[in-house]
PDB file of all heavy atoms in Angstrom:
ATOM      1  N   ALA A 753      34.357-114.728-196.725  1.00 42.00           N
ATOM      2  CA  ALA A 753      35.193-115.201-197.818  1.00 42.00           C
ATOM      3  C   ALA A 753      35.455-116.667-197.654  1.00 42.00           C
ATOM      4  O   ALA A 753      35.283-117.252-196.589  1.00 42.00           O
ATOM      5  CB  ALA A 753      36.520-114.411-197.815  1.00 42.00           C
ATOM      6  N   HIS A 790      33.727-112.681-149.338  1.00 94.00           N
ATOM      7  CA  HIS A 790      32.581-113.132-148.546  1.00 94.00           C
ATOM      8  C   HIS A 790      32.113-112.026-147.597  1.00 94.00           C
ATOM      9  O   HIS A 790      30.902-111.810-147.424  1.00 94.00           O
ATOM     10  CB  HIS A 790      32.985-114.375-147.751  1.00 94.00           C
ATOM     11  CG  HIS A 790      31.895-114.924-146.889  1.00 94.00           C
ATOM     12  ND1 HIS A 790      30.816-115.632-147.389  1.00 94.00           N
ATOM     13  CD2 HIS A 790      31.689-114.850-145.533  1.00 94.00           C
ATOM     14  CE1 HIS A 790      30.003-115.966-146.394  1.00 94.00           C
ATOM     15  NE2 HIS A 790      30.520-115.512-145.268  1.00 94.00           N
ATOM     16  N   GLY A 794      28.412-109.905-147.493  1.00 96.00           N
ATOM     17  CA  GLY A 794      27.616-109.692-146.290  1.00 96.00           C
ATOM     18  C   GLY A 794      27.370-108.211-146.027  1.00 96.00           C
ATOM     19  O   GLY A 794      26.275-107.814-145.602  1.00 96.00           O
ATOM     20  N   THR A 824      19.423 -89.300-153.763  1.00 97.00           N
ATOM     21  CA  THR A 824      20.202 -88.754-154.882  1.00 97.00           C
ATOM     22  C   THR A 824      19.713 -87.352-155.249  1.00 97.00           C
ATOM     23  O   THR A 824      20.505 -86.455-155.514  1.00 97.00           O
ATOM     24  CB  THR A 824      20.088 -89.689-156.098  1.00 97.00           C
ATOM     25  OG1 THR A 824      20.525 -91.010-155.734  1.00 97.00           O
ATOM     26  CG2 THR A 824      20.945 -89.187-157.253  1.00 97.00           C
ATOM     27  N   ILE A 826      18.187 -85.217-153.259  1.00 97.00           N
ATOM     28  CA  ILE A 826      18.557 -84.304-152.176  1.00 97.00           C
ATOM     29  C   ILE A 826      20.042 -83.926-152.290  1.00 97.00           C
ATOM     30  O   ILE A 826      20.414 -82.765-152.095  1.00 97.00           O
ATOM     31  CB  ILE A 826      18.258 -84.940-150.816  1.00 97.00           C
ATOM     32  CG1 ILE A 826      16.737 -85.071-150.606  1.00 97.00           C
ATOM     33  CG2 ILE A 826      18.880 -84.112-149.686  1.00 97.00           C
ATOM     34  CD1 ILE A 826      16.348 -85.783-149.337  1.00 97.00           C
ATOM     35  N   ARG A 849       8.719 -94.863-162.565  1.00 96.00           N
ATOM     36  CA  ARG A 849       7.923 -95.480-161.497  1.00 96.00           C
ATOM     37  C   ARG A 849       8.376 -94.988-160.130  1.00 96.00           C
ATOM     38  O   ARG A 849       7.546 -94.723-159.243  1.00 96.00           O
ATOM     39  CB  ARG A 849       8.030 -97.008-161.585  1.00 96.00           C
ATOM     40  CG  ARG A 849       7.275 -97.616-162.764  1.00 96.00           C
ATOM     41  CD  ARG A 849       7.106 -99.110-162.584  1.00 96.00           C
ATOM     42  NE  ARG A 849       8.380 -99.793-162.542  1.00 96.00           N
ATOM     43  CZ  ARG A 849       9.006-100.276-163.622  1.00 96.00           C
ATOM     44  NH1 ARG A 849       8.467-100.103-164.833  1.00 96.00           N
ATOM     45  NH2 ARG A 849      10.160-100.906-163.518  1.00 96.00           N
ATOM     46  N   TRP A 902      37.069 -98.211-131.228  1.00 96.00           N
ATOM     47  CA  TRP A 902      38.046 -98.254-132.318  1.00 96.00           C
ATOM     48  C   TRP A 902      39.025 -97.088-132.182  1.00 96.00           C
ATOM     49  O   TRP A 902      38.671 -96.000-131.721  1.00 96.00           O
ATOM     50  CB  TRP A 902      37.347 -98.154-133.673  1.00 96.00           C
ATOM     51  CG  TRP A 902      36.631 -99.400-134.109  1.00 96.00           C
ATOM     52  CD1 TRP A 902      35.808-100.181-133.357  1.00 96.00           C
ATOM     53  CD2 TRP A 902      36.662 -99.986-135.405  1.00 96.00           C
ATOM     54  NE1 TRP A 902      35.317-101.213-134.104  1.00 96.00           N
ATOM     55  CE2 TRP A 902      35.821-101.122-135.370  1.00 96.00           C
ATOM     56  CE3 TRP A 902      37.293 -99.668-136.591  1.00 96.00           C
ATOM     57  CZ2 TRP A 902      35.618-101.941-136.475  1.00 96.00           C
ATOM     58  CZ3 TRP A 902      37.091-100.483-137.708  1.00 96.00           C
ATOM     59  CH2 TRP A 902      36.273-101.613-137.639  1.00 96.00           C
ATOM     60  N   THR A 918      37.309 -99.656-153.738  1.00 89.00           N
ATOM     61  CA  THR A 918      36.243 -99.256-154.637  1.00 89.00           C
ATOM     62  C   THR A 918      36.735 -99.138-156.073  1.00 89.00           C
ATOM     63  O   THR A 918      36.020 -99.460-157.028  1.00 89.00           O
ATOM     64  CB  THR A 918      35.627 -97.922-154.180  1.00 89.00           C
ATOM     65  OG1 THR A 918      35.117 -98.077-152.855  1.00 89.00           O
ATOM     66  CG2 THR A 918      34.504 -97.494-155.106  1.00 89.00           C
TER      67      THR A 918
END
Side-chain angles (χ1 to χ4, degrees):
H790 179 75
T824 303
I826 292 175
R849 288 195 297 271
W902 286 46
T918 300

